[in-house]
Amino acid sequence: MYRRLKLAILDYDMTLLDTLIDFYDALNRTLQLFGLDPISYDRFIYLFKNDRLGFEIVPRHIDPKEFWKTFRKIYESRYAKPMEGVEYLLNILKLYGAKNIIVTGREVPSLKIWNELRRFNLHHYIDKVYTMFDLILLGGIERELFDKSWLLINVLKEFGVEPEEAIMLGDYWIDALSSRNAGIPFIGITRYEERARDLYINGAIMVVKDLYEAARAISEIVK
């Protein structure tokens, strides 16, 4: 139980926004940039659910780090829509007095995320945005691809918040692991059982299927 929830750290893609089609689009554009053939949507969904994209689509002669860094630079919200319940969740967090901080795996200037948030009229719920581009600017450490541990610890220090006074929400196992490394309780969000398993393995205290369920879970934790 929290003394008070002061900080809500939120992943962006597939947490606040449904960007699954954008993920698929950015993936195929990255494949083409590396001279590879695009994959079908059905194969993409299978590999995405089972976290096999990194193992089965990047050939051995291509550096996976360069591939995924290229991907996260061109990943953008072309076809995105807000997740159902996103305004409800963000409003609940504000009512608890929490600062809402986005920490995304995209490697773009934070201004680009702010522009997207304004497009979806979500900007007034958010207090700050960090991206992997900020990690580079701040001289942070990324121990493995998409590791956010350093950024999360930096956010805690910037806002003067203890890990137990914060919570993180996200959809990917590296988010859960990063949150665990920073000592922050983590709630996973996914519609896929396969990904839920990986979230629990990497430290999630619970996994929910949507943002309404996430809001209820947070209410139980902080009351």
Side-chain angles (χ1 to χ4, degrees):
M1 184 178 295
Y2 293 92
R3 295 191 297 272
R4 178 187 166 199
L5 180 61
K6 296 182 179 179
L7 209 60
I9 302 175
L10 308 159
D11 181 41
Y12 187 56
D13 295 299
M14 299 307 296
T15 299
L16 300 183
L17 293 186
D18 183 347
T19 56
L20 190 61
I21 301 299
D22 296 298
F23 191 119
Y24 174 63
D25 176 65
L27 178 64
N28 273 337
R29 285 192 287 139
T30 306
L31 287 167
Q32 291 174 322
L33 285 172
F34 280 83
L36 303 171
D37 293 331
I39 64 172
S40 70
Y41 186 71
D42 286 344
R43 186 175 180 221
F44 161 71
I45 289 295
Y46 172 79
L47 296 174
F48 178 83
K49 287 195 302 183
N50 292 279
D51 193 31
R52 300 294 301 173
L53 286 166
F55 298 99
E56 298 197 22
I57 67 166
V58 183
R60 291 184 179 180
H61 69 277
I62 291 176
D63 182 352
K65 184 175 181 179
E66 290 304 312
F67 182 91
W68 290 109
K69 283 178 71 69
T70 300
F71 163 83
R72 71 191 193 187
K73 289 175 182 176
I74 66 174
Y75 193 174
E76 60 183 330
S77 299
R78 292 180 167 188
Y79 311 102
K81 59 182 179 180
M83 285 288 196
E84 187 174 353
V86 64
E87 290 196 68
Y88 178 77
L89 171 69
L90 294 174
N91 190 51
I92 287 288
L93 292 169
K94 281 295 184 184
L95 289 174
Y96 281 126
K99 298 283 188 183
N100 290 333
I101 313 298
I102 289 175
V103 179
T104 174
R106 295 196 203 178
E107 192 177 323
V108 297
S110 57
L111 178 61
K112 191 164 187 176
I113 304 300
W114 279 113
N115 288 339
E116 292 186 2
L117 290 167
R118 290 186 183 94
R119 173 153 53 105
F120 296 114
N121 199 31
L122 297 175
H123 59 287
H124 50 282
Y125 294 109
I126 304 301
D127 295 283
K128 194 153 188 178
V129 173
Y130 287 92
T131 73
M132 302 310 284
F133 185 78
D134 293 308
L135 177 75
I136 296 168
L137 290 179
L138 293 168
I141 299 168
E142 185 180 4
R143 292 187 178 88
E144 57 183 305
L145 279 168
F146 298 101
D147 171 37
K148 300 175 181 176
S149 305
W150 189 93
L151 274 176
L152 298 182
I153 293 169
N154 184 71
V155 170
L156 293 175
K157 290 179 179 177
E158 178 177 346
F159 287 89
V161 172
E162 296 297 322
E164 63 270 17
E165 297 173 322
I167 198 163
M168 184 174 180
L169 284 76
D171 75 301
Y172 191 40
W173 68 266
I174 195 68
D175 294 329
L177 182 59
S178 299
S179 191
R180 184 173 71 182
N181 290 340
I184 302 169
F186 182 88
I187 295 176
I189 302 173
T190 184
R191 69 189 79 164
Y192 302 117
E193 291 183 8
E194 298 89 343
R195 290 172 74 88
R197 174 199 60 213
D198 291 339
L199 289 166
Y200 276 122
I201 289 171
N202 286 281
I205 60 172
M206 65 181 73
V207 177
V208 298
K209 292 183 178 179
D210 59 48
L211 296 181
Y212 288 115
E213 195 175 338
R216 289 193 295 271
I218 292 169
S219 297
E220 290 297 318
I221 291 171
V222 301
K223 72 178 183 180

